[in-house]
Amino acid sequence: MLYLLRHAKANGQYLESELTSEGIEKARLIVTDLEKLDINKVYSSPMKRAIDTVTPFANKNELPINIVEPLAERILSDIEIEDWLSKLKLTFTSFDIKFNNGETSREAQERAINFIALLNPKENNLIVSHGNLIALMIMYYDETFCFKDWQSMKNPDLYTVDENGQVNHINLSV
C-alpha cells in the first residue's frame, strides 16, 4: 500500500520553513493514525516542513526517514507571481504550461511517479510531501481529482493508493 501524507501547517514555502505551533501539535497527534497503517518505509521531501511532520512518527517507531529529492515541492516559478493561484489552477488542466523557469505539472508528476515505481509494492510505503505534488500523484491514478480537490486538502492530509491504483482519502483524527 502507498500512503501519501501532506505535511502539517508551516510558516512558509521555503526549503527551511518550519511548522507552525499548530503544525507541530498535529504532527505529534497523527502518530496514532499512522501507527495503525503498519508502515514499513518512510520517504520524505527534503523540505523541513515535510521532515518535521513525520519525525514524531518515525522516531517513536524507530523508522529511518529516507530523504528523496523527487518528493520536493513543485516549483511553479522561479520568481514571485502575483496571481499564482490562477496560474496554479491552469496547470491542473494544462499539464505542459511552464512559468518563469518553473516546472510543468507533467514534469513534476513524472518525477514523483518515477520514484514511486521504484518502491516495493508489497510494503506499506509512506510518502511525505506537499499539496501540489501529492495532487499530481493522485491525478496520475485518478483523473477526476481536480483543482477543487487540491483546494480542499488539509495540512496534514492523508491518501492511500492500493495495488490497483485506487485512491482513497483517510480522515485523520486531528
Side-chain angles (χ1 to χ4, degrees):
M1 183 75 72
L2 179 64
Y3 296 97
L4 305 174
L5 178 65
R6 183 184 192 189
H7 65 79
K9 191 172 184 179
N11 284 316
Q13 298 294 313
Y14 301 103
L15 180 66
E16 293 300 318
S17 292
E18 296 186 359
L19 296 178
T20 63
S21 57
E22 176 188 346
I24 292 167
E25 179 65 11
K26 286 188 177 184
R28 188 184 64 74
L29 292 173
I30 64 170
V31 169
T32 304
D33 293 317
L34 295 176
E35 286 179 324
K36 296 174 186 173
L37 306 177
D38 194 28
I39 303 289
N40 302 110
K41 301 244 173 94
V42 176
Y43 301 94
S44 177
S45 158
M47 300 178 120
K48 184 171 176 42
R49 59 193 180 273
I51 297 166
D52 289 353
T53 296
V54 76
T55 294
F57 167 75
N59 286 348
K60 184 174 181 198
N61 292 278
E62 299 178 352
L63 290 169
I65 300 171
N66 299 286
I67 307 302
V68 181
E69 286 295 326
L71 300 178
E73 177 70 279
R74 174 197 180 190
I75 304 300
L76 186 61
S77 168
D78 67 351
I79 61 171
E80 195 168 317
I81 303 174
E82 281 187 38
D83 60 340
W84 70 269
L85 192 59
S86 66
K87 301 284 193 209
L88 180 64
K89 182 178 182 180
L90 185 59
T91 69
F92 273 74
T93 54
S94 299
F95 260 49
D96 294 310
I97 289 179
K98 185 180 279 201
F99 302 105
N100 304 306
N101 299 311
E103 189 174 27
T104 69
S105 291
R106 188 173 318 283
E107 290 167 340
Q109 184 185 65
E110 285 177 0
R111 73 173 154 88
I113 296 302
N114 287 342
F115 170 72
I116 290 170
L118 300 174
L119 301 178
N120 182 345
K122 296 181 191 280
E123 293 181 325
N124 290 331
N125 296 292
L126 176 64
I127 287 179
V128 187
S129 192
H130 310 273
N132 186 222
L133 190 63
I134 288 175
L136 292 169
M137 288 184 244
I138 292 169
M139 290 173 75
Y140 177 81
Y141 298 102
D142 178 0
E143 61 188 35
T144 67
F145 196 88
C146 64
F147 182 73
K148 281 186 175 183
D149 296 310
W150 169 80
Q151 285 182 304
S152 70
M153 291 174 77
K154 300 178 193 107
N155 292 87
D157 217 342
L158 183 63
Y159 294 82
T160 64
V161 181
D162 69 18
E163 62 277 356
N164 299 315
Q166 180 70 38
V167 178
N168 289 297
H169 181 254
I170 295 180
N171 290 317
L172 296 170
S173 59
V174 295

